[in-house]
Amino acid sequence: VRRSLAAGLTCAALVAVVGGAGYIVVSALIDTGDEIVASLKDAARSLSDHFGAAGTSLDDMASNARNWLGKFGGTAASGLLEGISVVGQAAAAAVLALLLTFFFLRDSDRAAAALRSLAPGAGGPHLEAVARRAFRAIEGFMRGTTVIALIDAVCITVGLLVLRVPGAVGLGALVFVGAYIPYLGAFISGAVAVLVALADRGFVIALWALGVVLVVQVLEGHVLQPVIQSRTVQMLSLIHI
């Protein structure tokens, strides 16, 4: 097909896939958010009875998180004009990003020619080659991270559903989002899942939930990361280990 039509179809597919994935994740978090927060507070009270200050701090964090959300909602409701302005800016940025994507897809040969013209002497082809390899590496890393995040979320969600932990789908969505946060994301999402299991299903089920989280994390670190990222980033598997 023509360049313009191909770029337009690709942008439409991008909006459909990213928007659909975002809607699923956000809906899962909204539907189970109150239940997860309530379970965290129950877990905090249980821990405070056994560990004192540590559990009390967790209870305060859960309460503060709920208060912050309430204050944010109140501020957004009271400052309607400011809220509309923020939404308008976000929408404008999204439209601009989509337009830039369209033109970069349609006129990629012109963009490459412009990049070559920036290099001094005969270094244009080398600069273009380096830029293309860097782009492929970043693209592969993000694609691999998304695949790994999806596998982690599905595995943990299935494990929590088997253990009959409330809010399993929302916790799985939290795991998916947390996979994009280096180091802390997996720890926080896993800790939330275990605490919810502790509050609603008891100590034994919480241990099983912890085992599910640890197995998935070990699988990610020693199998998924080397195998998937080595293919998407085109890097030796041993480097990821």
Side-chain angles (χ1 to χ4, degrees):
V1 297
R2 296 177 61 85
R3 284 176 175 263
S4 297
L5 179 58
L9 290 175
T10 303
C11 289
L14 173 67
V15 171
V17 172
V18 175
Y23 175 79
I24 292 172
V25 172
V26 172
S27 297
L29 289 174
I30 291 176
D31 292 341
T32 59
D34 291 338
E35 187 176 9
I36 291 175
V37 171
S39 297
L40 285 176
K41 295 185 71 173
D42 292 340
R45 295 190 190 99
S46 177
L47 290 175
S48 64
D49 294 338
H50 296 86
F51 300 103
T56 303
S57 300
L58 185 59
D59 190 12
D60 293 339
M61 289 174 61
S63 300
N64 290 335
R66 189 65 177 271
N67 293 333
W68 291 335
L69 290 175
K71 291 180 180 178
F72 178 77
T75 302
S78 60
L80 181 60
L81 293 178
E82 295 181 2
I84 293 176
S85 176
V86 171
V87 172
Q89 292 177 6
V95 171
L96 178 60
L98 194 61
L99 288 174
L100 289 174
T101 302
F102 171 81
F103 285 112
F104 275 125
L105 288 172
R106 192 190 69 172
D107 302 324
S108 58
D109 54 339
R110 297 181 183 178
L115 181 64
R116 287 194 300 269
S117 67
L118 296 176
H126 299 288
L127 179 61
E128 180 185 354
V130 170
R132 289 183 181 278
R133 293 191 64 178
F135 177 80
R136 284 197 297 268
I138 296 174
E139 176 197 14
F141 176 78
M142 293 305 299
R143 187 169 64 250
T145 299
T146 302
V147 172
I148 293 171
L150 181 61
I151 295 174
D152 287 354
V154 170
C155 290
I156 290 181
T157 300
V158 171
L160 295 178
L161 287 174
V162 171
L163 296 173
R164 291 184 293 175
V165 176
V169 177
L171 293 170
L174 185 63
V175 170
F176 180 81
V177 175
Y180 292 93
I181 304 175
Y183 304 110
L184 291 178
F187 173 78
I188 293 175
S189 59
V192 170
V194 174
L195 289 173
V196 171
L198 175 64
D200 290 280
R201 299 285 290 144
F203 183 73
V204 175
I205 298 298
L207 287 179
W208 278 103
L210 177 61
V212 170
V213 172
L214 290 179
V215 168
V216 172
Q217 294 303 321
V218 171
L219 179 67
E220 174 191 341
H222 297 282
V223 179
L224 297 180
Q225 286 281 358
V227 172
I228 295 177
Q229 291 287 30
S230 63
R231 294 183 179 181
T232 57
V233 186
Q234 297 182 357
M235 186 179 295
L236 184 63
S237 300
L238 291 175
I239 295 178
H240 294 282
I241 298 177

